[in-house]
Amino acid sequence: MGLRELKKEQTRQLIAGTAWRLFADRGFDRVTVAEIAREAQVAEATVFNYFPGKEDLFYSRFEAFNARLADAVRDREPGEPALAAFRRALLEEGGLLAQAEAGDQEALTWLRTVNRVIAASPALLAREQQAFARSAAGLAELLATETGAAANDLRPQVVANALLGLQRAMIDYVRGRVGSGEDLDGLAADVRKLTAEAFALLEHGLADYAVRA
């Protein structure tokens, strides 16, 4: 990375870090882009050069993560199914949850903070839904191109939405546990177990699931 690119990345990180701190302190909806720019000591136009909107300041990391999941599917080795590549990439990303499991109290506090800020903001919840929809559409397009699916073939969309739905269910489970106020010991292990079971369900099919007694 050259000096120019390094400085741009440092500015981007400064703006994002400042925004996250203000969001954590006051809530997403009560912070303006002008305030973020002032705290970061940059022009408001500079903020918009790096982030098209305020929601992008909050969700840039999440959307970058979803892009890495799609990249894992796109760049997988010959012979590896899309589901296996998605599962590998999803489980490789430890993030705050892994840090909290390792005893990092700062990570645990930040996990609770992120949970609180999202839950309190209709704008963030709506943006998150849009982000998942875009990710599913992009993955479906990738799978359709790769498999040569016809325009009326629903399978790429079904697969993409199933994979992103699994990720969403995992996120919702974590947020539910974090927001409950209960002891979070074993949360990361529970997530790994439940995620593995969910992937096994997708891998083996739904034919025998929830058969009425």
Side-chain angles (χ1 to χ4, degrees):
M1 181 182 296
L3 180 60
R4 178 181 173 82
E5 289 74 19
L6 178 60
K7 291 184 69 174
K8 289 178 64 175
E9 181 59 25
Q10 288 173 338
T11 300
R12 179 183 177 85
Q13 292 298 330
L14 170 64
I15 294 170
T18 301
W20 274 63
R21 175 171 54 79
L22 292 175
F23 296 152
D25 288 343
R26 294 166 48 199
F28 179 83
D29 296 332
R30 295 183 178 182
V31 177
T32 67
V33 173
E35 290 172 314
I36 295 167
R38 186 165 58 250
E39 285 287 325
Q41 297 185 342
V42 299
E44 189 172 347
T46 301
V47 176
F48 286 116
N49 285 339
Y50 288 91
F51 301 95
K54 195 172 76 165
E55 289 83 1
D56 297 285
L57 283 159
F58 190 90
Y59 275 125
S60 60
R61 299 176 187 178
F62 171 75
E63 293 180 351
F65 170 57
N66 275 10
R68 290 197 297 274
L69 295 178
D71 288 342
V73 174
R74 179 182 296 105
D75 300 334
R76 70 192 187 279
E77 295 293 329
E80 183 178 29
L83 184 147
F86 189 93
R87 174 177 56 202
R88 172 171 44 77
L90 184 62
L91 295 179
E92 279 176 356
E93 294 281 352
L96 288 174
L97 193 59
Q99 296 172 38
E101 182 184 39
D104 187 334
Q105 289 301 309
E106 184 176 346
L108 179 58
T109 299
W110 193 241
L111 193 62
R112 294 186 190 277
T113 300
V114 170
N115 190 67
R116 170 176 54 80
V117 172
I118 293 174
S121 173
L124 286 180
L125 291 170
R127 173 56 181 270
E128 189 172 73
Q129 293 283 4
Q130 294 170 3
F132 271 110
R134 281 197 302 269
S135 295
L139 183 57
E141 183 178 359
L142 168 65
L143 294 172
T145 300
E146 189 174 286
T147 60
N152 62 351
D153 189 342
L154 296 181
R155 287 175 295 178
Q157 295 181 49
V158 170
V159 172
N161 279 281
L163 292 174
L164 269 297
L166 188 157
Q167 181 195 3
R168 181 60 199 258
M170 182 182 74
I171 290 172
D172 287 345
Y173 174 78
V174 171
R175 287 181 182 165
R177 286 277 297 271
V178 170
S180 70
E182 67 182 62
D183 188 351
L184 297 182
D185 286 347
L187 174 57
D190 290 344
V191 169
R192 286 192 294 270
K193 176 178 179 293
L194 293 171
T195 302
E197 291 173 350
F199 270 114
L201 179 63
L202 294 184
E203 185 173 13
H204 299 133
L206 303 177
D208 297 325
Y209 179 72
V211 177
R212 177 166 292 183

